[in-house]
């Protein structure tokens, strides 16, 4: 496949089996093989293998939803053009599926379906997964996985704006906290329950 349309690491990623126990670190707490290196294009590996063998490499983490492999959009969109692929929000994170999922034939009234496998989609996307988009590229060649220069610039610009917004909020919070520490608010005076003692009443003199 032409690397102008599909990066060389994508098909190895889609064909890799994840979530087996690492042979080297099987006794450790985080020994599931849910990492993939975009530089090495090898097998899946665990958290500890990443620290020792792939420290300076591009690595993405694979997650699981209903026994299917997913990847967070925030990670994959930095290295791949995912336009046209349906995304989902799972556990407060936006993700997409690596490969197609078997589904009964879509019933009537379905507005959007995957161009490749016919799976019903929630929105106006063309594909249900990265795997289906790959098949679509091989068949038609009318889309691509490779990030263009404009896309990369836009992504970097969005990330820069987000960083500036976060920094501004943190700075405002710090300033607000400092002001509260230096200039504590003056507590209101306690309410007084004491009543003024009434004087002795005097009657007006009777007129003669």
């Amino acid at each position: 496949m032409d690397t102008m349309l599909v990066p060389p690491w994508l098909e190895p990623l889609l064909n890799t089996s994840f979530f087996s126990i690492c042979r080297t670190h099987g006794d450790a707490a985080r020994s599931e093989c849910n990492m993939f290196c975009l530089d090495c294009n090898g097998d899946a590996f665990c958290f500890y293998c990443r620290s020792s063998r792939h420290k300076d490499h591009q690595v993405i983490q694979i997650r699981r939803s209903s026994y299917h492999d997913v990847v967070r959009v925030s990670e994959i969109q930095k290295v791949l053009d995912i336009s046209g692929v349906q995304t989902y929000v799972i556990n407060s994170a936006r993700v997409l599926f690596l490969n197609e999922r078997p589904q009964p034939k879509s019933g009537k009234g379905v507005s959007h379906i995957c161009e490749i496998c016919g799976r019903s989609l929630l929105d106006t996307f063309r594909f249900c997964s990265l795997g289906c988009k790959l098949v679509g590229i091989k068949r038609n060649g009318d889309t691509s996985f490779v990030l263009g220069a404009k896309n990369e610039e836009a992504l970097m610009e969005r990330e820069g704006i987000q960083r500036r917004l976060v920094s501004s909020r943190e700075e405002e919070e710090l300033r607000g906290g400092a002001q509260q520490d230096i200039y504590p608010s003056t507590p209101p005076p306690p309410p007084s329950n004491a009543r003024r003692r009434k004087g002795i009443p005097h009657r007006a003199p009777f007129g003669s």
Side-chain angles (χ1 to χ4, degrees), residues 197-202:
R197 187 171 181 177
K198 293 183 178 179
I200 301 173
H202 297 278

Side-chain angles (χ1 to χ4, degrees), residues 78-199:
K78 296 178 181 179
V79 294
L80 206 65
D81 182 353
I82 60 173
S83 59
V85 182
Q86 174 74 65
T87 62
Y88 302 86
V89 176
I90 300 175
N91 294 331
S92 302
R94 186 162 292 278
V95 303
L96 53 78
F97 287 86
L98 295 190
N99 293 292
E100 70 174 84
R101 294 157 289 152
Q103 183 192 42
K105 189 175 180 180
S106 300
K108 295 181 179 179
V110 176
S111 302
H112 314 295
I113 61 172
C114 176
E115 293 181 7
I116 304 303
C117 70
R119 183 179 183 87
S120 60
L121 303 177
L122 301 177
D123 305 298
T124 55
F125 289 96
R126 297 179 59 187
F127 311 104
C128 70
S129 62
L130 293 180
C132 282
K133 181 173 180 177
L134 176 61
V135 175
I137 291 175
K138 289 181 176 181
R139 287 182 183 178
N140 306 318
D142 60 347
T143 185
S144 172
F145 274 120
V146 178
L147 287 171
K150 292 183 179 179
N151 291 341
E152 290 179 348
E153 290 174 2
L155 179 60
M156 292 175 66
E157 183 178 355
R158 285 198 300 271
E159 290 180 347
I161 292 173
Q162 290 175 355
R163 290 195 195 100
R164 288 195 294 271
L165 289 174
V166 171
S167 298
S168 298
R169 284 197 298 268
E170 290 177 348
E171 187 176 352
E172 288 176 2
E173 290 174 359
L174 288 173
R175 287 179 179 174
Q179 289 176 356
Q180 290 175 2
D181 293 338
I182 297 172
Y183 306 107
S185 57
T186 303
S192 176
N193 294 326
R195 295 182 178 178
R196 294 181 61 186
R197 187 171 181 177
K198 293 183 178 179

Side-chain angles (χ1 to χ4, degrees), residues 7-8 16 21 31 33 39 52 62-63 69 76-77 83 103 132 137 140 144 146 169 181 188-189 195 205:
T16 298
I21 301 301
S31 60
C33 294
D39 296 316
S52 59
I62 307 303
R63 303 165 197 274
D69 296 336
I76 196 69
Q77 69 180 358
S83 59
Q103 183 192 42
C132 282
I137 291 175
N140 306 318
S144 172
V146 178
R169 284 197 298 268
D181 293 338
R195 295 182 178 178

